[in-house]
Amino acid sequence: MNTNSIRRGAGVGLVAAALVALAAIGPVTAVAAPDTSTAITGQAAGNPPLPSYPGLADDGRMVASVSTTPVPCADNGAHKSLTRSQVLTRAQSWLNVGGVPYSQSRCYRNSYGDYRTDCSGFVSMAWGLGKRGSDFWTGNLGDVSTDIPRSSLQPGDALLRHENNPSVDHVALFVRWEDAAHTRPVVIEQTGSKGTIQRTWTQSNASNYRPVRYDRILEGSSSGSGVAAGDVTGDGRDDLIARRPDGTLWLYVNGGNDSAPYGSGSLIGSGWAQFAWFLAGDVTGDRRADIVTARPDGTLLLYTNNGNDTSPYDWGTVIGSAWQQFTEVALGDVTGDGRADLVAAKPDGTLSLYTNGGNDTSPYGTASPIGTGWGMFSSFVAGDVTGDGRADLLGVKPDGTLWLYTNGGSNTSPYSSGILVGTGWQPFDRVLLGDTNGDGRDDIIATKPDGTLWQYVNGGSNTSPYSSGSLIGGGWEQFV
């Protein structure tokens, strides 16, 4: 059984496969050594490097691993709407080159645009801000963001300090909390002494900053991407696939213990930071979960499962385009033929079904409209809740209510009215469906922002399948 869903706008393969995929995007060309000057003559408003960074040695050294150009930076078009996974993927791109050297007077261009190489230029890039990449600084980032409670911080939000004082003004991207008490944030930031780094702030330093959220962030409780459920090993129990910010992919095999199904993970791929989201499900009909994933430009790829439990995914095949138009995508066997179909929602709430035609290299053809009004959900996932071999849909609304849309058996109109099957689901940042105990009915696997992993076993009732949950793991906040 599968599966999982992800809000777009959220990989897997061997290193070789990942390098091939990255090559298709195009490498950054290395030219002359970059200018690491912090001169600000003639540039737009910005933030000079802080005289010192609390807890960070200012040794005067910065990396020189990429080439830069003088300000003003190029026009990056309109502001983008991005998922939290996409924001962190963009941020990771500056870390992946060894760190971009700090300068107020230089710009760095990669596949995500051309942005000034100071702290606010870095956050502007991660958020996908439009206009020129040198137009934003700590003094006007508030124009595109909203203050939020510190307790509401989620990956992709930011910590901002602007007091019209160059010695303290700064902004950093929030990744996760280092501690259970939520006092020490892990951030990615552009620093004057070491360029782009990821580190943990002290509580005293973090208290000087106000939490803000980009106004065009795309929310979804199941969507951080980061984690997908599917039967990778073919034993009838769903495993978990998880991605770290550095793009490495990890497999958590279901060990068969109903109360503690997942143990330690194993590394199964790298280079997956390039993808906006990924889903797991049986596309080829061999009873093993494949990976369907999308790049930020909407290119859809399929990584078929080769049957090797320790290295299941090799090469990806392009199977579609323009998937950036959807805000939510779910993978599940809607038609009951043993092959996973795709269900996708647009920002206007229209729902479309892409049935699997049986071709392993080109499984999905033309979409069929199957519903409207799906914009009311923060997220939805696909999986066989009722045990009839056809994927149902489970949706979470912003008020925390959980709704089940059972599959009525029609391939052209599978979902009718939904029924309320739960409340109080606001604390979860991911809600997945997967058969954890091998009984043919999908259970719920959910994570909270503190990294705890929860299991809600399907009790067999089609009208009230899920009751109390059990804690089955921790440390899942590291995945994006």
Side-chain angles (χ1 to χ4, degrees):
M1 304 293 164
N2 63 265
T3 56
N4 167 356
S5 131
I6 193 140
R7 197 171 185 79
R8 174 196 68 79
V12 184
L14 296 174
V15 173
L19 290 174
V20 170
L22 286 169
I25 296 177
V28 176
T29 303
V31 290
D35 178 7
T36 59
S37 167
T38 57
I40 60 175
T41 303
Q43 75 168 84
N47 294 110
L50 298 184
S52 64
Y53 288 81
L56 180 67
D58 188 352
D59 56 10
R61 295 183 291 107
M62 283 188 290
V63 294
S65 57
V66 298
S67 60
T68 59
T69 56
V71 292
C73 307
D75 191 318
N76 295 296
H79 296 333
K80 295 175 177 58
S81 297
L82 300 174
T83 63
R84 297 185 180 282
S85 176
Q86 288 173 311
V87 169
L88 292 182
T89 296
R90 294 167 71 97
Q92 185 72 35
S93 72
W94 281 29
L95 284 171
N96 286 346
V97 296
V100 175
Y102 186 103
S103 174
Q104 262 214 301
S105 62
R106 308 292 293 183
C107 306
Y108 170 58
R109 178 190 291 275
N110 66 5
S111 60
Y112 297 120
D114 191 43
Y115 291 90
R116 190 178 60 240
T117 61
D118 66 352
C119 63
S120 49
F122 165 70
V123 171
S124 297
M125 179 278 301
W127 280 354
L129 296 187
K131 300 184 180 181
R132 292 185 306 179
S134 47
D135 282 350
F136 287 89
W137 64 302
T138 58
N140 63 7
L141 281 174
D143 295 342
V144 294
S145 63
T146 303
D147 286 9
I148 60 173
R150 193 168 299 271
S151 60
S152 297
L153 272 169
Q154 296 184 53
D157 293 333
L159 291 161
L160 175 64
R161 186 177 187 180
H162 178 72
E163 301 177 13
N164 277 319
N165 181 352
S167 68
V168 298
D169 292 349
H170 186 50
V171 64
L173 196 73
F174 178 80
V175 177
R176 67 178 187 273
W177 292 109
E178 178 67 24
D179 60 322
H182 291 185
T183 62
R184 295 184 289 119
V186 177
V187 302
I188 303 176
E189 58 184 326
Q190 187 70 358
T191 68
S193 57
K194 290 185 179 294
T196 319
I197 63 170
Q198 178 171 315
R199 67 182 179 119
T200 301
W201 280 2
T202 63
Q203 180 178 2
S204 60
N205 182 40
S207 66
N208 295 317
Y209 291 75
R210 73 180 204 262
V212 297
R213 177 163 297 159
Y214 177 39
D215 289 336
R216 296 178 68 90
I217 199 76
L218 293 170
E219 299 287 5
S221 62
S222 74
S223 70
S225 177
V227 182
D231 185 5
V232 177
T233 61
D235 64 354
R237 292 173 177 256
D238 276 12
D239 312 293
L240 294 179
I241 300 170
R243 177 180 63 182
R244 290 182 178 169
D246 63 2
T248 55
L249 201 75
W250 296 76
L251 174 62
Y252 289 78
V253 173
N254 189 321
N257 184 330
D258 292 346
S259 59
Y262 306 109
S264 58
S266 59
L267 178 66
I268 59 171
S270 61
W272 285 78
Q274 65 175 300
F275 297 111
W277 52 260
F278 63 94
L279 304 168
D282 185 7
V283 177
T284 61
D286 63 354
R287 299 180 182 273
R288 288 177 176 256
D290 310 293
I291 297 292
V292 175
T293 186
R295 292 181 180 145
D297 65 1
T299 304
L300 195 71
L301 294 97
L302 171 65
Y303 285 76
T304 57
N305 189 318
N306 60 26
N308 184 332
D309 292 346
T310 58
S311 182
Y313 305 107
D314 296 322
W315 306 101
T317 303
V318 175
I319 59 171
S321 60
W323 283 77
Q324 75 278 14
Q325 67 183 296
F326 299 108
T327 55
E328 193 89 8
V329 182
L331 183 65
D333 185 7
V334 177
T335 61
D337 63 355
R339 292 174 177 257
D341 312 291
L342 285 171
V343 180
K346 290 184 177 179
D348 63 3
T350 56
L351 194 69
S352 297
L353 172 63
Y354 289 79
T355 56
N356 189 322
N359 184 329
D360 293 347
T361 57
S362 182
Y364 305 112
T366 306
S368 302
I370 58 171
T372 58
W374 286 79
M376 73 178 78
F377 293 100
S378 301
S379 64
F380 63 79
V381 289
D384 187 5
V385 176
T386 61
D388 64 355
R390 290 175 177 258
D392 311 293
L393 292 182
L394 192 71
V396 183
K397 291 184 178 180
D399 63 1
T401 54
L402 192 70
W403 295 79
L404 174 63
Y405 288 75
T406 57
N407 189 320
S410 169
N411 292 347
T412 56
S413 183
Y415 307 110
S416 55
S417 56
I419 57 172
L420 179 66
V421 295
T423 59
W425 287 81
Q426 301 99 319
F428 297 98
D429 58 355
R430 294 186 189 93
V431 176
L432 312 176
L433 280 174
D435 186 3
T436 62
N437 57 17
D439 66 353
R441 290 175 177 258
D442 275 6
D443 312 292
I444 289 178
I445 307 142
T447 64
K448 291 182 179 180
D450 64 1
T452 53
L453 186 71
W454 296 79
Q455 176 182 247
Y456 287 76
V457 174
N458 188 323
S461 167
N462 292 348
T463 56
S464 183
Y466 306 109
S467 55
S468 58
S470 59
L471 178 65
I472 60 171
W476 290 78
E477 76 280 2
Q478 67 183 297
F479 299 110
V480 299

